Amino acid sequence: MDADRAAWEQRSVVRVVPPVEPRKLAKVPFVELADGRLQGVVSSGSDIERVYVSSITAGTHALSCSTNNNRPCGALHGYACKHIHQLADEAVLQYGLDRVSRYLGVEVPEGQSLMSAIKGPVERTPAAVVFSRFLRHLAYLEVPDSTEPLAELHWFPATRAVR
Ligand SMILES: [Zn+2]
C-alpha cells in the first residue's frame, strides 16, 4: 500500500506540468490621468470590501492614499505604500511609461521603474471625487443602455461589517 502510494506520488511528481498562473481579480479596477494627477482605485489585499483611492500629483509628485471612506492609508508615511506602487504599475501597463512620466513631469532613467523616480511628499487628497468617478466608470461599463436606477453602491456596502 505504502509502496504503491510512493510510486503514484513519484509518477505524479514527474508528470506535473506547472500550472498557468491563475487569473487574478483586478487589483487596480480604475486608473486615469486626470485633474493633474495619476489617480485610481486599488483593491485592498486583505479585505474585499475595502478599496483604496491612491494618487500621484503631476509636478510636485505628492502622494496620497486613503480608503473610499476617506480614512488615511496606514501604510503611507514618507514613502509610497503598495497601493500607490500598484497604481503606478497599472498606469504604466495601460498608458505606457513615456506617457505617464510625461504627464507627471518626471524623468525616469533608462531601465528604472516609474516609482523609483517619484519622491514626493505625502499629501492627503480627498478620495470622494476620484471614487465617485470610479463608480460612474463602473456604471458605464456594466450597464451602458439601462434605464433602471443604478445600484452601484451594492459593490461596496455603506455599512461596515460587524466583527
Ligand atoms: Zn495605501
Side-chain angles (χ1 to χ4, degrees), residues 35-38 55-64 78 84 100-107 114-115 117-125:
D35 301 336
R37 285 190 294 271
L38 161 61
S55 70
I56 303 170
T57 305
T60 65
H61 306 152
L63 307 171
S64 176
I84 292 175
V100 177
S101 55
R102 229 178 310 133
Y103 189 87
L104 292 177
V106 62
E107 296 261 355
L114 175 67
M115 285 312 295
I118 297 283
K119 305 221 179 339
V122 173
E123 191 177 270
R124 302 292 173 185
T125 307

Side-chain angles (χ1 to χ4, degrees), residues 5-19:
R5 212 175 104 213
W8 180 86
E9 277 175 358
Q10 271 189 336
R11 273 203 309 278
S12 77
V13 166
V14 173
R15 287 180 189 171
V16 161
V17 176

Side-chain angles (χ1 to χ4, degrees), residues 7-74:
W8 180 86
E9 277 175 358
Q10 271 189 336
R11 273 203 309 278
S12 77
V13 166
V14 173
R15 287 180 189 171
V16 161
V17 176
V20 175
E21 183 128 343
R23 205 172 74 85
K24 293 192 179 109
L25 291 174
K27 285 299 290 175
V28 184
F30 182 56
V31 57
E32 64 176 4
L33 297 169
D35 301 336
R37 285 190 294 271
L38 161 61
Q39 57 192 15
V41 172
V42 181
S43 317
S44 161
S46 52
D47 182 348
I48 58 163
E49 289 181 1
R50 192 188 309 152
V51 297
Y52 289 88
V53 174
S54 309
S55 70
I56 303 170
T57 305
T60 65
H61 306 152
L63 307 171
S64 176
C65 186
S66 56
T67 68
N68 52 308
N69 297 325
N70 257 333
R71 290 185 52 189
C73 169

